[in-house]
Amino acid sequence: MEQLLNQITALKEEITAFNGGDAETFRIKYLGTKGLVKTIMGEMKNVAPENKKEAGQLLNEFKLFTEAKYSELNEASSKSEIGNPKSEIDLTLPGDNLPLGSRHPISLVKNRIISIFQRLGFAVAEGPEIEDDFHNFSALNLPENHPARDMQDTFYISQNPDWLLRTHTSSVQVREMQKGKLPIRIICPGRVYRNETISARAHCFFHQVEGLYIADNVSFADLKQTLYFFVQEMFGADVKVRFRPSYFPFTEPSAEMDISCLICGGTGCNVCKHTGWVEILGCGMVHPNVLDNCGIDSNKYTGFAFGMGIERITMLKYQIKDLRLFSENDLRFLKQFTSAV
Ligand code: PHE
């Protein structure tokens, strides 16, 4: 009996001092099936019958003592970071929710435009933003000193007078025509630059999608039908379309296309300047000089081209009044498009 008492006292001291590991190590050592508590319980059989009651109580109390220490260790380890028993970080708690980002409205509309034209068989073509004079101007029937160059206030690169920031993605069309693989049916989305004073309606850069279709017998009727389809898919079946004669050096004949005002439905308001119509793009039949400049036989092939500003389309679609909102990175503005398609 005395021996048992001594054993228990020694073990209790050992347990109180235990800090050499985690709760699981403790459980295996003391409370497991081969643990010390079980072993010492086995000593009962050696206790004289008159002491059995007292020994039973002592052993029971020892078991409770060991279990209490175990739950203490368990609690401490649930507060600690895995691998670092002293840490206060609880990795079992759910994390902080990070707000989901969303696509920029310009990207949303650009992707929408691309997918509409892709359904008509147009492929996406891209090119450099820093261009040379030939691809941005000369090839497009805009020789040096041509007054129409003033229509697009250009940023030139001082290092080399031949280099500039492209003013339209028509330069990508030139690159594609030069490859000489016909027919060509492409759209060219991308950023373009013009030296304009920044206001609610103009910026020094914006985004375009231009389109080009060259094959045998492409006609103005094909151009109109393609653009009708685009407008219906983009703005809905009720929107009306009209073409006005216009001038671009690279197309002949040229036109500007208007759609009926989405705000007032065509009755007249501030947005359409009380005309009922808003302009959304320029277009026309590719000028034979352009085809020849790019190595395509203008006696054999014809084509149409068009170009639109993505900002303009986005402003009309979402009724945004100020172009500067697109580049200010204001989350209050951008968050409004989280669920837009
Ligand atoms: N490149 C013209 C512009 O940026 C748009 C356009 C493209 C017009 C094709 C007609 C045909 O203003």
Side-chain angles (χ1 to χ4, degrees):
M1 178 69 188
E2 201 169 316
Q3 199 196 344
L4 184 67
L5 248 176
N6 287 342
Q7 265 182 306
I8 290 179
T9 316
L11 276 173
K12 270 187 162 177
E13 270 171 28
E14 189 184 309
I15 286 170
T16 312
F18 181 92
N19 60 5
D22 61 326
E24 187 55 12
T25 316
F26 181 88
R27 190 190 64 77
I28 293 166
K29 183 168 182 194
Y30 295 101
L31 295 165
T33 35
K34 288 180 187 151
L36 286 167
V37 172
K38 266 264 160 68
T39 317
I40 206 163
M41 288 287 194
E43 294 290 317
M44 263 304 261
K45 59 180 185 298
N46 305 326
V47 175
E50 65 274 20
N51 290 335
K52 277 226 193 284
K53 193 174 168 213
E54 197 191 340
Q57 277 174 351
L58 274 171
L59 283 169
N60 224 13
E61 191 239 335
F62 172 63
K63 192 175 169 222
L64 291 174
F65 172 83
T66 314
E67 283 171 353
K69 173 75 180 184
Y70 173 60
S71 39
E72 204 179 284
L73 285 170
N74 237 349
E75 211 170 287
S77 76
S78 77
K79 276 198 198 125
S80 68
E81 194 182 349
I82 294 168
N84 178 5
K86 295 202 179 75
S87 169
E88 289 286 303
I89 301 166
D90 182 357
L91 291 181
T92 64
L93 284 174
D96 289 338
N97 275 335
L98 288 174
L100 266 189
S102 58
R103 287 202 195 284
H104 193 281
I106 294 293
S107 298
L108 288 174
V109 170
K110 181 185 82 179
N111 292 342
R112 182 83 186 274
I113 297 172
I114 290 174
S115 80
I116 295 171
F117 283 105
Q118 272 176 339
R119 278 156 58 203
L120 291 173
F122 284 78
V124 173
E126 283 176 335
E129 292 184 15
I130 299 175
E131 263 300 358
D132 53 38
D133 185 277
F134 177 77
H135 291 95
N136 197 82
F137 288 129
S138 307
L140 291 160
N141 204 26
L142 276 145
E144 227 177 297
N145 304 322
H146 191 292
R149 285 195 181 202
D150 296 342
M151 280 162 71
Q152 304 184 346
D153 299 304
T154 310
F155 286 114
Y156 286 94
I157 291 176
S158 49
Q159 246 178 324
N160 184 336
D162 193 44
W163 292 346
L164 47 90
L165 296 182
R166 68 179 180 196
T167 57
H168 48 190
T169 59
S170 306
S171 52
V172 182
Q173 306 184 347
V174 172
R175 288 177 180 277
E176 212 59 32
M177 284 187 273
Q178 283 179 315
K179 289 182 189 163
K181 264 175 91 191
L182 288 150
I184 296 172
R185 202 186 289 153
I186 50 161
I187 45 168
C188 313
R191 186 182 280 217
V192 300
Y193 301 84
R194 292 186 196 178
N195 190 0
E196 295 194 58
T197 315
I198 297 168
S199 72
R201 295 172 63 88
H203 211 310
C204 55
F205 68 87
F206 64 100
H207 299 80
Q208 275 192 329
V209 175
E210 294 213 353
L212 176 71
Y213 178 32
I214 299 177
D216 298 324
N217 290 326
V218 177
S219 72
F220 203 89
D222 296 320
L223 167 63
K224 283 178 89 172
Q225 196 52 47
T226 304
L227 294 178
Y228 276 140
F229 177 78
F230 164 69
V231 168
Q232 298 214 327
E233 292 298 305
M234 191 73 205
F235 298 107
D238 298 336
V239 177
K240 292 191 201 61
V241 168
R242 78 172 182 188
F243 289 82
R244 277 180 293 108
S246 185
Y247 170 76
F248 297 103
F250 27 86
T251 45
E252 184 60 37
S254 303
E256 253 149 317
M257 192 179 87
D258 299 341
I259 58 169
S260 53
C261 180
L262 299 167
I263 314 290
C264 63
T267 52
C269 69
N270 280 342
V271 172
C272 60
K273 299 196 204 96
H274 301 281
T275 63
W277 297 96
V278 278
E279 182 203 316
I280 64 161
L281 56 81
C283 58
M285 300 308 292
V286 180
H287 197 293
N289 287 355
V290 174
L291 296 175
D292 292 337
N293 290 344
C294 300
I296 294 174
D297 185 350
S298 57
N299 292 316
K300 194 163 171 224
Y301 293 103
T302 49
F304 68 70
F306 58 87
M308 65 186 105
I310 306 179
E311 276 80 352
R312 162 64 66 100
I313 306 278
T314 312
M315 288 168 91
L316 286 170
K317 188 155 177 65
Y318 296 117
Q319 305 185 8
I320 297 162
K321 293 214 169 68
D322 194 325
L323 185 78
R324 288 168 290 196
L325 284 164
F326 291 129
S327 47
E328 279 171 351
N329 281 341
D330 187 335
L331 283 180
R332 289 168 303 177
F333 171 69
L334 296 172
K335 268 184 182 167
Q336 296 175 51
F337 301 91
T338 321
S339 57
V341 205

